[in-house]
Amino acid sequence: MSLQVHITTFGCQMNKLDSELVANELISQGFELCRDNGQADVVIFNTCSVRQHAENRVLTCLGRLGRQKASHPGLITVLIGCMAQRQGTELIERFADLDIVCGPGELHRLSGLINKARDGAGRQLALTDRLRARRTVPTELEDMDTRHRLSQITSSAQAYVRATRGCDNFCSYCIVPSVRGPEISRPPASILAEVENLVAAGCIEITLLGQTVNGYRYCADGPETDFAELLRMVSAISGLKRLRFVTSYPRGFSDDVFYAMAEAPVICEYLHLPAQSGSDRILSAMKRSYTSAEYLDLIERGRTIVPNLSIAGDFIVGFPGETEEDFQDTVRLVKAVRYKNCFVFKYSPRPGTVAARRLTDDVPAEVKRRRNNELLAVQEEISLDLHREFIGQKVEILVEGPSKASYKERPEHRNQLTGRTRGDNIVVFDAPGQVEQLTGTLVDVIIRDASALTLFGELPSTLPNARQ
Ligand code: 5AD
Ligand code: SF4
């Protein structure tokens, strides 16, 4: 029997993509993916360092490795992702049952490291030296992306495709530039070839990824390709039905990107545009290089050029020095933008960042919690209002699969499917007898009810226009 590998993924879409690429490599070497971590011969944790909470969850998993090894002799344990690059040396010393630590810039070496460890060559550590000085990507690492095929990890209708690696922004709170390295844009030809392969394999929705994806800029010998141009090229690929991109950075966001969105029907009217704060004083301390007025101006231009633009945001509450007045500026910004949804995070000092070095984490945990809840409550009201406007409308959704939460809570809902609109709204609807058939397809659904998080719809009484 083939060796079984299990991957647990923490963190953002970039990590989900890396897990998928690692799975592909291991499958091509004869491994099989397994769903049950207890059955695996190799367990991999793909980790996130963006907040302490994310790291704590991984530390708990690492603490259990000894017991896992005792019940499965020969088990190989692997740590990849941002925590590997940030603390690899320390972690391999601290956790005697951890066999391999491999940073995100060394993933092309991972299958070799697993083979070495299995051959008894001992514990393996692969981190990128002088990561910030790296100006090119090793060919073998780039090849992992270009060889991207759909694996069992994600649905076959949707895939992430990397546009850029790393980040050069150095927001004062953020660990990403030091664990993911400098921003490097992939050659457009590689991106196009990858999308073409995925679409040929049946994928209908592609999400282009980058820490600041709109910063995409590629120039080798020929003319420069910017992000708007990349969007136009990818959207022209025949068979692709939906194109998205995350995450955008508010400075240097060209109107041409909005024009590309308005012109190409496959580009979804969706923008993930973190503001982080509504206070100019805090934005400056965060080194975000825009003001709340500039941010609002960008949103207005976007909404003028792209009708029905659906916008998601990220906010950090309790950044050092954040007063009640600063926080109220954030509340005002959230109300002014009317986001589709917001992700709200409590500030977590990351060792090595400018904020952790120079600023005191002086907002008490209790105040952070209250601001977090207050901002979420403000957003919830907006989300509900926006969702209610959908009632009675017909929307196109990409069906992702059975609605798991409702199935667990209420077995009578086992015929329920979940999917997303072009604007990234979650829709749940009943589809008795059609669960398999509709998964991974685009269907029209009529919205009948709405909560802040979810739209509830039904298939039109005529046959659904399931299209592949
Ligand atoms: N503390 C809290 N939240 C953070 N984020 C990034 N760094 C931190 C931090 N140190 C949030 C930002 C970012 C999202 C991915 O995580 O809002 O957009
Ligand atoms: Fe993603 Fe950032 Fe977390 Fe790394 S630290 S997994 S890049 S969110």
Side-chain angles (χ1 to χ4, degrees):
M1 199 171 98
S2 311
L3 283 175
Q4 305 287 306
V5 58
H6 184 274
I7 309 181
T8 310
T9 308
F10 298 87
C12 63
Q13 292 99 332
M14 205 52 106
N15 268 13
K16 293 197 177 106
L17 170 61
D18 281 343
S19 289
E20 169 110 351
L21 299 181
V22 162
N24 282 337
E25 289 302 300
L26 294 176
I27 290 167
S28 74
Q29 312 246 334
F31 286 82
E32 258 174 29
L33 285 184
C34 67
R35 293 197 179 278
D36 178 5
N37 168 315
Q39 299 299 312
D41 304 295
V42 178
V43 288
I44 301 178
F45 296 95
N46 192 0
T47 61
C48 173
S49 288
V50 84
R51 282 171 292 278
Q52 187 58 45
H53 176 68
E55 293 199 342
N56 290 347
R57 287 168 64 204
V58 173
L59 294 174
T60 307
C61 295
L62 295 182
R64 293 191 194 121
L65 292 181
R67 249 177 296 150
Q68 249 174 290
K69 279 198 157 180
S71 63
H72 191 132
L75 174 70
I76 302 286
T77 57
V78 184
L79 185 90
I80 62 176
C82 295
M83 261 176 100
Q85 183 64 33
R86 190 174 95 74
Q87 295 169 292
T89 317
E90 194 185 314
L91 292 175
I92 208 154
E93 273 170 24
R94 181 168 154 200
F95 293 96
D97 294 301
L98 184 57
D99 298 309
I100 300 172
V101 171
C102 179
E106 307 296 320
L107 286 179
H108 51 293
R109 295 167 57 194
L110 185 60
S111 55
L113 298 175
I114 292 175
N115 288 336
K116 268 194 190 169
R118 290 191 53 241
D119 291 345
R123 304 168 77 202
Q124 308 287 323
L125 180 67
L127 303 180
T128 311
D129 280 341
R130 303 180 61 243
L131 176 65
R132 290 289 321 166
R134 187 185 251 190
R135 280 289 150 202
T136 53
V137 175
T139 316
E140 301 88 335
L141 189 60
E142 173 60 22
D143 286 349
M144 282 179 74
D145 286 75
T146 38
R147 281 199 299 267
H148 186 181
R149 297 291 178 273
L150 299 164
S151 77
Q152 297 122 292
I153 286 196
T154 48
S155 103
S156 60
Q158 298 163 287
Y160 294 120
V161 167
R162 196 173 342 250
T164 64
R165 289 171 202 275
C167 184
D168 286 340
N169 273 332
F170 286 100
C171 303
S172 63
Y173 51 80
C174 188
I175 193 71
V176 172
S178 56
V179 289
R180 291 270 170 175
E183 182 178 290
I184 303 177
S185 296
R186 294 181 61 213
S190 302
I191 297 173
L192 291 173
E194 184 179 338
V195 176
E196 276 162 9
N197 283 333
L198 292 165
V199 171
C203 183
I204 55 176
E205 178 181 282
I206 293 289
T207 304
L208 294 175
L209 296 187
Q211 249 76 40
T212 57
V213 70
N214 53 313
Y216 179 89
R217 194 164 289 275
Y218 186 84
C219 182
D221 311 321
E224 184 183 270
T225 306
D226 65 8
F227 186 57
E229 185 58 22
L230 179 72
L231 280 178
R232 290 192 172 99
M233 292 192 294
V234 176
S235 65
I237 291 173
S238 133
L240 181 64
K241 304 276 197 236
R242 284 183 173 190
L243 178 59
R244 304 181 182 282
F245 55 91
V246 290
T247 295
S248 295
Y249 185 75
R251 195 200 42 197
F253 192 108
S254 152
D255 282 358
D256 203 22
V257 173
F258 293 136
Y259 287 115
M261 293 172 81
E263 286 156 20
V266 300
I267 307 178
C268 294
E269 310 63 29
Y270 172 72
L271 194 63
H272 181 206
L273 191 71
Q276 311 296 4
S277 171
S279 151
D280 290 344
R281 214 175 61 80
I282 296 295
L283 284 171
S284 158
M286 287 176 163
K287 302 222 175 313
R288 289 290 285 182
S289 71
Y290 53 85
T291 61
S292 57
E294 284 163 344
Y295 180 87
L296 280 170
D297 187 56
L298 175 62
I299 299 268
E300 199 182 308
R301 293 199 315 271
R303 289 201 162 129
T304 309
I305 302 168
V306 185
N308 294 323
L309 185 62
S310 167
I311 300 169
D314 288 3
F315 285 91
I316 298 176
V317 293
F319 188 79
E322 186 188 66
T323 61
E324 199 51 37
E325 208 170 304
D326 293 317
F327 173 65
Q328 289 308 323
D329 284 343
T330 297
V331 171
R332 266 191 290 279
L333 182 69
V334 168
K335 288 183 175 167
V337 174
R338 292 179 68 75
Y339 291 97
K340 178 199 71 114
N341 72 302
C342 278
F343 302 97
V344 182
F345 305 106
K346 288 175 269 193
Y347 171 69
S348 163
R350 308 314 297 134
T353 59
V354 170
R357 239 181 295 132
R358 302 214 187 125
L359 306 171
T360 315
D361 181 17
D362 57 0
V363 178
E366 182 45 41
V367 176
K368 285 183 186 169
R369 199 173 320 128
R370 183 185 48 73
R371 290 181 185 166
N372 186 316
N373 293 342
E374 191 176 325
L375 200 57
L376 285 175
V378 168
Q379 178 55 45
E380 194 177 313
E381 224 173 283
I382 297 167
S383 297
L384 183 60
D385 276 357
L386 293 175
H387 267 179
R388 285 201 176 125
E389 290 172 16
F390 279 91
I391 295 176
Q393 282 188 35
K394 185 154 85 169
V395 292
E396 179 203 78
I397 70 167
L398 197 163
V399 183
E400 292 176 351
S403 152
K404 289 185 200 95
S406 60
Y407 176 61
K408 256 192 226 149
E409 287 157 23
R410 289 181 282 184
E412 74 273 17
H413 284 194
R414 80 171 61 89
N415 285 322
Q416 234 173 30
L417 282 168
T418 177
R420 280 176 199 256
T421 66
R422 290 170 58 93
D424 205 44
N425 305 90
I426 298 168
V427 181
V428 168
F429 65 102
D430 280 328
Q434 299 181 83
V435 169
E436 304 264 295
Q437 177 200 340
L438 295 187
T439 296
T441 68
L442 291 170
V443 296
D444 284 341
V445 163
I446 299 170
I447 302 305
R448 296 295 182 205
D449 201 0
S451 74
L453 281 182
T454 315
L455 296 171
F456 302 92
E458 64 183 26
L459 292 168
S461 48
T462 49
L463 270 184
N465 63 334
R467 287 169 262 160
Q468 261 292 13

